[in-house]
Amino acid sequence: MRVLVIGSGAREHALVLALRRDPSVTAVIAAPGNPGIGQHAELRAVDPCSAEAVVALAADVAADLVVIGPEVPLVLGIADAVRAAGFPVFGPSADAARIEGSKAFAKDVMAVAGVRTAHSEIVDSPAELDAALDRFGPTWVVKDDGLAAGKGVVVTDDRRTARDHGAELLEQGHPVLLESFLDGPEVSLFCLVDGETVVPLLPAQDHKRVGDGDSGPNTGGMGAYTPLPWLPEETLTEIVEDVVKPVAAELVARGSSFSGLLYAGLAIGAHGPAVVEFNCRFGDPETQAVLALLDSPFAELLHATATGRLAEIDPPRWKDGSAITVVLAAENYPARPRTGDVISGAEDGALAGDTLVLHAGTALREDRALVSAGGRVLNVVGVGADLAQARERAYARLERIKLPGSHFRTDIGATEVVIPERRTS
């Protein structure tokens, strides 16, 4: 199998490595990729948001499977164009990708499917903002209704901060979604979805805020770990049966059948799981930890999903132990990050057995020096017999990497998690 992976971040680096471990895969081509991915796959230049360019590339490399990593190409319908050209594609149609591209669409799907989520309200006029804010709080959740790479959300107990964020979004022409605050720890659950067939992967927990102790602004994600020792098996089953399967069935009923990876972000509160958001692709940085523990042929899982055969193959197998991802970010991230600084200590990072160094925002200078080229620069993955050992290995590897002005959280996977006692009413 020749596999073409579209994307250029640490998520795609993890996808490429997992594909390379599948004995059925004879070649992996990544477009546009990054310097780390280039150590393990053939790199090709492409505009991921150009349907014509992606289709032409799939034909040129004779792809047996096309895997689209980022959300923007999926929302723009790139999977539709590649599928129409006759290539198996792991990634939903533009219609189905609205589950991430429009929070209002996702809320409507959940309402019809009977899935618990936060009470919400769409505001599309500055004149309506103050009155709408009065109907929420004392903790305000203010979101960009469209795609925002994880940084369009403000959760605050300060009304002025909530109002300023909403006003800024409206000034940019973006509708605002106000939500009631959901209590309880958050869980990310990835599910392979082929119509109404749902196959869950390992649950993970992401750390969104930039600073230790969940302080500072939201980011695209500063780290994640898997599995979750505090999450009961029955709660995981409840999420699959009462959340993901009803949503998948509702999308089929609407003529927007989902094919690909459906990501449910949930809060586990006193009344059980409630959906914070849905994404239409592998999450970043949770994917980096989850795939480090996969013990099944990855391409087989993706190809079966893409060709409507997911129900026919064995469910994924997992290695024992735990995995953790820690993000090394550039100075000033998540605001305007400093770029162009030389990175040392990341060489051959994906070759070690118990740690991986995955490239997120890197580039090669003309002199072949590795430099920072984004806000989230590298992901360090540690694998161990338990979470403590995985953390120890990841942070020890991280200390050997040098990037001027960089920062990372020191508490990924370290917080003791307590689920609120379940209420019956």
Side-chain angles (χ1 to χ4, degrees), residues 175-221:
V176 171
L177 182 78
L178 298 179
E179 285 188 339
S180 57
F181 178 70
L182 294 173
D183 67 328
E186 291 196 12
V187 171
S188 300
L189 182 65
F190 300 164
C191 293
L192 301 173
V193 175
D194 166 16
E196 294 195 39
T197 301
V198 174
V199 176
L201 306 185
L202 288 180
Q205 187 175 59
D206 185 13
H207 295 63
K208 282 289 187 188
R209 292 186 181 269
V210 71
D212 284 0
D214 290 327
S215 61
N218 269 359
T219 70

Side-chain angles (χ1 to χ4, degrees), residues 42-118:
E42 176 189 347
L43 298 188
R44 299 289 290 268
V46 78
D47 177 356
C49 296
S50 167
E52 182 180 2
V54 175
V55 169
L57 179 58
D60 187 50
V61 303
D64 299 301
L65 174 66
V66 179
V67 179
I68 300 177
E71 61 272 25
V72 175
L74 292 168
V75 170
L76 292 176
I78 304 304
D80 301 87
V82 179
R83 199 171 279 120
F87 298 95
V89 183
F90 185 84
S93 66
D95 260 359
R98 287 184 294 163
I99 198 75
E100 178 172 2
S102 168
K103 294 178 179 65
F105 174 79
K107 290 288 185 182
D108 186 61
V109 169
M110 285 186 277
V112 175
V115 170
R116 289 190 65 244
T117 186

